[in-house]
Amino acid sequence: MAVFNQRPNLYSSPFYPLTILGHLVRYFQIHRTLLVIYFKEKLVGKIDKEKVQLKLLNYYNRFQPSQERQAVLLLILYILVATIIGFQQYLLDAYNNFTIFKDSVFHLVNHQNLYLEYPNEYFDVFLYNPSFSVLFIPFAYLQTGLGVVAWTITITTTYFWGIRSLKLSRNKELFFLLLILPELITSVENMQNNPIIAAFIVLSVTTLEKNKIKQASIYPAINFFIKGYGGIASVFFVLKSPRIKTLLYLFVSFAAFFSLPLIFYSFSEFVILYKQWLWSLK
C-alpha cells in the first residue's frame, strides 16, 4: 500500500525552530502510541505494519500546528525580539534616531525649526516631513525607555502584519519571516523605519487587491510623509479601476496627512514650516 511508504517525518520542515518542543512532545506521544498498538496486536497475533503506519501518520498530522497557531508563535517571537532590543538599546544609550524623532515632536509643538542642528540633544539632523513628527507623538510622550520599546515593537509588528497580508502558505510564510529576521533586527537596533515603509508598500498592494480602496490609500500616504520614496506604492492606484474614484481616495489621504501640522500651526506658519523642510533637502 502507498500508506506504508509514507513514513511520518518528524523533521519534515527544516525551518521549524519554534516548534522543537512540540516535536519532542509528539515524538514521545507517537512512540507511546506505537507501544500501545504493539501490545494490543501481540495479544491477537502478528502486527499489521500498514495499520500501525497509518495510525502513526494520522496521529502526527493531528498535532501539526495550524497556520494561525504558527503565526501567533512567530508574532510572540517578533515582539520578544523587539522588546529585548528596545531595552538593550535604551540601557546602552544607543537610540539616537529615536531621540531625533522624539525631539522633533517637541520642536514642532514649540514652533521651533525642525531642521536645525541640536547638538545638545542628538547627533545628525531631522530631515523627515513635518507630518512625521505629528505621527510620532504617541511615542514621544512616553517615558523614554517605554517609548523606545514601543517603537521597536511597532516596527516589527508592522512588518509582520505586512508579510502576513500576502497570504503565503504556512511553510513559505515561516521561511520568509525567519529568513528576514536578522536584517530586521539590524533595522530595529538602529530604530529605523524602513521595515514600516516596506510593510506599507506590501499592504498597499494586498489591500488594493481586496478592493478596500479607502484603507489602501492610507498606506502610500503615510509612507510618503515618512520618507518620500515610500509613496512609490501610489503607482498601483493608477492601474486600479474605477480609476477616478481610486485616485480621489488617494488624493484625500495625501491631503489629510499633508495637513497634519495645521493642528499646531496657523496657515502662514504651516507654509514657512514646509519651506524649511524643502530647504533642508537641498
Side-chain angles (χ1 to χ4, degrees):
M1 288 178 65
V3 172
F4 183 72
N5 295 323
Q6 295 177 352
R7 298 190 62 179
N9 184 2
L10 293 175
Y11 307 100
S12 58
S13 177
F15 308 106
Y16 237 95
L18 296 180
T19 54
I20 292 175
L21 181 60
H23 280 306
L24 290 174
V25 171
R26 285 195 294 276
Y27 178 82
F28 289 113
Q29 291 279 13
I30 288 172
H31 279 72
R32 187 191 69 178
T33 304
L34 179 60
L35 288 174
V36 171
I37 295 173
Y38 173 80
F39 286 113
K40 282 185 178 180
E41 295 286 347
K42 193 169 184 180
L43 293 176
V44 296
K46 187 179 179 180
I47 297 177
D48 187 340
K49 291 183 178 179
E50 293 179 357
K51 182 179 178 182
V52 172
Q53 193 72 33
L54 180 61
K55 286 187 177 182
L56 289 175
L57 184 62
N58 290 338
Y59 193 85
Y60 177 76
N61 289 335
R62 245 178 69 197
F63 285 90
Q64 281 279 32
S66 66
Q67 186 163 1
E68 291 304 315
R69 185 178 178 187
Q70 174 182 281
V72 171
L73 291 173
L74 285 166
L75 179 60
I76 292 172
L77 173 66
Y78 267 52
I79 293 175
L80 181 62
V81 168
T83 303
I84 292 172
I85 292 175
F87 278 118
Q88 168 195 284
Q89 299 304 92
Y90 175 67
L91 294 174
L92 294 175
D93 196 22
Y95 51 91
N96 184 65
N97 280 341
F98 178 84
T99 304
I100 293 174
F101 302 154
K102 177 177 179 176
D103 287 359
S104 75
V105 173
F106 301 122
H107 297 158
L108 180 80
V109 173
N110 295 324
H111 292 222
Q112 295 174 257
N113 190 331
L114 303 179
Y115 305 103
L116 296 177
E117 292 185 3
Y118 292 93
N120 294 329
E121 299 178 22
Y122 49 74
F123 305 105
D124 213 339
V125 292
F126 181 78
L127 295 175
Y128 291 80
N129 188 281
S131 295
F132 177 72
S133 298
V134 181
L135 295 172
F136 205 79
I137 286 176
F139 305 97
Y141 281 92
L142 292 173
Q143 187 273 337
T144 302
L146 292 178
V148 169
V149 173
W151 179 236
T152 56
I153 290 176
T154 299
I155 295 171
T156 55
T157 53
T158 304
Y159 185 81
F160 179 87
W161 177 29
I163 298 305
R164 283 280 291 160
S165 72
L166 292 170
K167 302 297 181 184
L168 301 172
S169 66
R170 182 179 63 183
N171 285 341
K172 287 181 180 179
E173 182 178 271
L174 177 66
F175 171 74
F176 197 88
L177 285 169
L178 292 180
L179 177 69
I180 202 67
L181 189 56
E183 287 298 323
L184 183 62
I185 288 173
T186 301
S187 290
V188 173
E189 284 179 335
N190 293 313
M191 308 288 156
Q192 294 175 345
N193 47 35
N194 294 331
I196 294 177
I197 292 174
F200 282 170
I201 290 175
V202 173
L203 285 163
S204 298
V205 178
T206 56
T207 311
L208 201 58
E209 285 182 343
K210 297 176 184 176
N211 289 318
K212 296 180 179 179
I213 301 174
K214 291 181 184 179
Q215 181 181 342
S217 67
I218 294 173
Y219 302 123
I222 294 177
N223 266 359
F224 179 80
F225 291 104
I226 295 177
K227 286 184 177 178
Y229 67 80
I232 190 66
S234 302
V235 299
F236 298 111
F237 288 75
V238 178
L239 306 174
K240 184 69 176 177
S241 297
R243 192 166 300 170
I244 294 177
K245 179 181 178 182
T246 302
L247 293 177
L248 180 61
Y249 279 126
L250 186 64
F251 173 78
V252 170
S253 293
F254 268 77
F257 284 101
F258 174 77
S259 305
L260 283 178
L262 286 172
I263 298 172
F264 305 99
Y265 284 74
S266 66
F267 183 76
S268 59
E269 291 174 324
F270 176 79
V271 172
I272 294 172
L273 179 65
Y274 266 91
K275 284 182 178 179
Q276 291 170 342
W277 174 58
L278 292 173
W279 181 260
S280 72
L281 300 179
K282 293 181 180 180

